[in-house]
Amino acid sequence: MDGTAVAVRSVESVGSDTVALTIETPDGFAAHPGQFVQVGATVDGEQVARHYTLSSPGSAAGEAGADDTFEVTVEVDPEGTLGPHLAGLDAGATIEIAGPFGDAYYEGEQRVVVLAGGPGIGPAVGIGERATAEGGEVVVVYQDDDPVHEARLAGLSAAGATVAITDDVSGEEVVGLLANSVGQVFVYGFADFLDEATAALDAAGRSTEGAKTENFGPAP
């Protein structure tokens, strides 16, 4: 992996088998909520790397008020390699990052509708918080039978965002919410969820043309 060595500031549990890593922002790093980075570390003598989407709302480097850290949310498979390693790091540990990558990110839209499945909640809360802070209208639909980032979702709701947590994105209530929402559509999650979210948008009469989507690949 051709990356940049950075320090981990903190590792925080944000739900079952899920942690949020706060990472120092390297020089020249310019990213937006919704983009992703490659994270690498040496585990048992081998270099391992995975992609993780930013879950922080902060300004990109180079902008006024840019943060000196950013966050990624890591879903930890107990049988995996990199996830358990990252979850067990102490503050000050060094990892490598490359990127950012991806074009499905927030660009100052004043109305956003974010559909997230599983680990897609990371970019969803980042975009939701950024748009809310900038006075925008936010709808977040999150499909998961074991939700994470519940404190941040509650904060979004308290700030005026519409937040729907469901185990079925195609359910009648969600479709009704989508039918009555307006704004730039974002969809983040594994391949199966993207299919389900697209079907829900179709059922709601919402065009998916112009939607910003990030496919995390097949579910593990």
Side-chain angles (χ1 to χ4, degrees):
M1 171 178 172
D2 186 15
T4 301
V6 294
V8 174
R9 291 278 186 89
S10 66
V11 180
E12 176 189 2
S13 174
V14 293
S16 299
D17 294 324
T18 307
V19 296
L21 262 67
T22 300
I23 302 167
E24 289 186 356
T25 303
D27 292 340
F29 182 82
H32 304 273
Q35 289 190 294
F36 61 93
V37 294
Q38 186 179 43
V39 176
T42 301
V43 183
D44 295 331
E46 295 188 8
Q47 182 75 10
V48 184
R50 298 285 186 273
H51 290 117
Y52 297 106
T53 308
L54 273 68
S55 50
S56 46
S59 300
E63 295 182 2
D67 294 332
D68 65 352
T69 63
F70 69 96
E71 179 191 276
V72 295
T73 298
V74 178
E75 190 175 74
V76 182
D77 178 357
E79 302 300 319
T81 302
L82 185 57
H85 175 81
L86 296 175
L89 292 177
D90 295 321
T94 299
I95 58 175
E96 289 189 13
I97 66 163
F101 307 104
D103 55 10
Y105 58 84
Y106 176 74
E107 297 180 271
E109 295 92 344
Q110 283 301 294
R111 292 177 171 176
V112 300
V113 180
V114 190
L115 289 82
I121 190 57
V125 292
I127 290 172
E129 290 171 352
R130 180 72 174 271
T132 298
E134 295 182 352
E137 297 179 14
V138 174
V139 175
V140 174
V141 175
Y142 172 32
Q143 177 175 291
D144 202 314
D145 56 7
D146 189 8
V148 304
H149 275 309
E150 291 185 284
R152 290 176 69 180
L153 289 166
L156 276 170
S157 183
T162 299
V163 176
I165 302 175
T166 180
D167 59 5
D168 182 9
V169 73
S170 62
E172 184 177 340
E173 289 187 6
V174 172
V175 170
L177 173 60
L178 294 174
N180 290 299
S181 62
V182 294
Q184 173 65 54
V185 173
F186 298 82
V187 186
Y188 298 97
F190 292 120
D192 287 350
F193 174 76
L194 262 66
D195 291 341
E196 294 167 7
T198 297
L201 288 163
D202 288 343
R206 295 290 307 269
S207 172
T208 55
E209 184 176 355
K212 297 182 179 182
T213 64
E214 194 67 65
N215 187 335
F216 295 176

